[in-house]
Amino acid sequence: MADQTLTDRVALLRVGSLFSGYGGLDLAVEEVFNARTIWFSEINEPVARIFSHHWPEAPNLGDITAIDWKTVPPVDILCGGFPCQDVSTVGKMAGLKPGTRSGLWAHMAAAIDALQPDWVVIENVRGLLSAPAIRANFEGVHDEQRNIANAAPDGATPRDMERDPWHLGETTARPLRAAGAVLGDLADLRYDAQWIGLPASAVGAPHPRYRVFILAHRTVSHSTGIRRSSRGRELATGESTPRHDCAQPPDHRPCLARPEWVPTFRGVREPVEVDRGILRRWGRYAVPVTYWTQIIGRPAPAPAILTDATGPRPAPAFVEWLMGLPSGWVTDARHELTTNSQITALGNGVVPRQAVSAISSLLNTWLEEHRPRSSDRAVNPYQAVVDRTGVETGVAGS
């Protein structure tokens, strides 16, 4: 974080970032947890240049399938949004299974298993709740029917079971869903997970962009001895060389100080006065555009690029505004990205304010559930989290 140093009263939590993109999820994690990103993994070289520009001290570990996790510095928080193409409702809905791009979740699970961070933050599209999944069999697991149709005998009455209104589990009529597979893997890794679905419009953005966020906390303080040999299959195909994806060394690279990302939120339900000029320019979109302009503090740029050759095309600067990013975060000419690369990076990214709201809500729920009673204050993890993050129930994201 730009306004904090390692000499602060409480050392910043360390964040490791996977499938990093332009860093939207990382901005939110740093904001909520009072943390700093110390390394990232992004295979797309042009997009990695954006991340390296804004986090000049964080090396890029490269291809997640080629990382030797035994050589990676430990982190307190691991975050990432694994590829969504195969679980997206606008894609082929191939699902979460080996051999698909979304199947890279298995490599993120391997990273969690190896690094054992205290917290895991995951982001993905709405299709995670409906896309089918096959949980891969790891080396040492001989149960070939991990996705069996009938997990309980006919007529059996489940007791003391958490209700599943979203049907993320395994039944004959409703097969295992991608979200259920992810949550199941986290449970196997001894992580207690919660999830929430949130549209970007809930934080004032002029577009829905519904996303699913998962927050998982390690349930065992000293878990070195619980890593299961059955999940010990080496997913990596080799070692990836850390790099900074830029021509200049990090200690000499110019980088503008990052501003405060999530200022005090102004309620979007409050009436706003729409300027007549804005009304003429934006028509029926004038009100949501005015809301978002007030929230992020800068006016909307032109929404399209007009050319005689191709006709109107979405303007990257406008999409950047829609995501709530500062001007030039992705579109700065120093990143040397083409217009198409900028649009792709923005389309795959995360709205930081949306992520802050979702993660804060999940963290507040966890803190409330673990608020110590007078009899168990000495062993409850609640105070340790508050001391490290500065977050108490009802405070984060307010």
Side-chain angles (χ1 to χ4, degrees):
M1 301 176 70
D3 58 346
Q4 292 180 304
T5 68
L6 295 180
T7 59
D8 287 347
R9 180 179 63 86
V10 178
L12 300 182
L13 296 178
R14 301 159 299 175
V15 179
S17 174
L18 302 176
F19 316 106
S20 305
Y22 61 67
L25 185 61
D26 305 85
L27 291 173
V29 169
E30 288 187 350
E31 178 73 23
V32 173
F33 283 94
N34 187 33
R36 64 185 180 100
T37 302
I38 64 171
W39 51 257
F40 73 105
S41 169
E42 174 56 58
I43 194 173
N44 186 305
E45 295 286 347
V47 177
R49 289 199 295 269
I50 302 174
F51 200 102
S52 290
H53 176 81
H54 298 296
W55 282 270
E57 296 181 357
N60 183 8
L61 305 186
D63 184 355
I64 189 174
T65 67
I67 297 174
D68 180 1
W69 295 111
K70 294 188 293 293
T71 67
V72 174
V75 292
D76 304 295
I77 307 163
L78 187 66
C79 68
F82 56 89
C84 64
Q85 288 88 340
D86 297 302
V87 297
S88 174
T89 55
V90 298
K92 297 181 178 180
M93 292 291 284
L96 186 72
K97 58 185 179 181
T100 65
R101 292 192 64 184
S102 296
L104 289 173
W105 156 250
H107 292 277
M108 184 170 182
I112 297 170
D113 197 12
L115 298 175
Q116 292 288 298
D118 290 327
W119 298 92
V120 176
V121 180
I122 300 168
E123 173 272 343
N124 217 287
V125 298
R126 188 175 199 156
L128 196 71
L129 302 175
S130 56
I134 296 177
R135 296 181 67 191
N137 289 322
F138 292 86
E139 183 178 342
V141 175
H142 303 293
D143 181 5
E144 298 296 332
Q145 301 297 323
R146 297 189 70 193
N147 301 274
I148 76 174
N150 299 304
D154 292 338
T157 303
R159 299 185 182 277
D160 299 322
M161 298 282 287
E162 182 179 356
R163 294 185 60 189
D164 181 23
W166 285 80
H167 304 287
L168 302 179
E170 304 168 67
T171 66
T172 303
R174 297 180 181 272
L176 180 66
R177 303 302 183 187
V182 171
L183 295 172
D185 286 343
L186 289 169
D188 287 348
L189 292 168
R190 306 299 193 271
Y191 280 80
D192 181 16
Q194 302 177 70
W195 67 273
I196 187 173
L198 188 74
S201 56
V203 297
H207 53 92
R209 199 175 180 84
Y210 189 100
R211 291 295 181 265
V212 174
F213 296 88
I214 299 174
L215 177 66
H217 183 258
R218 185 158 54 96
T219 59
V220 180
S221 298
H222 302 285
S223 55
T224 304
I226 68 166
R227 298 181 191 174
R228 295 165 298 128
S229 58
S230 60
R231 296 199 65 125
R233 183 180 63 161
E234 292 293 336
L235 292 176
T237 57
E239 294 189 7
S240 178
T241 303
R243 55 191 183 276
H244 281 281
D245 298 291
C246 68
Q248 301 182 59
D251 56 338
H252 295 292
R253 187 180 329 144
C255 181
L256 297 177
R258 298 205 302 274
E260 181 185 3
W261 290 110
V262 189
T264 302
F265 181 72
R266 290 186 246 181
V268 298
R269 302 297 182 184
E270 300 175 2
V272 296
E273 295 183 6
V274 179
D275 181 85
R276 185 171 298 179
I278 294 178
L279 185 60
R280 284 197 300 267
R281 182 185 184 191
W282 295 100
R284 61 175 177 166
Y285 302 109
V287 172
V289 166
T290 301
Y291 276 139
W292 195 232
T293 295
Q294 292 183 354
I295 290 171
I296 69 174
R298 67 183 184 95
I305 300 174
L306 303 178
T307 63
D308 294 333
T310 61
R313 302 174 59 192
F318 179 69
V319 181
E320 189 175 59
W321 178 85
L322 288 174
M323 302 298 284
L325 297 167
S327 178
W329 183 267
V330 171
T331 58
D332 192 315
R334 287 175 292 181
H335 303 326
E336 299 180 345
L337 268 68
T338 65
T339 298
N340 288 339
S341 294
Q342 291 173 1
I343 290 293
T344 299
L346 289 163
N348 291 332
V350 178
V351 178
R353 284 173 175 80
Q354 177 187 12
V356 165
S357 179
I359 298 168
S360 297
S361 176
L362 293 170
L363 181 59
N364 282 333
T365 299
W366 186 91
L367 290 170
E368 184 63 32
E369 291 177 350
H370 293 80
R371 183 183 292 276
R373 301 183 300 273
S374 58
S375 60
D376 61 4
R377 186 174 300 273
V379 297
N380 197 288
Y382 170 87
Q383 193 59 48
V385 173
V386 172
D387 290 342
R388 295 298 299 276
T389 65
V391 175
E392 277 213 71
T393 303
V395 174
S398 60

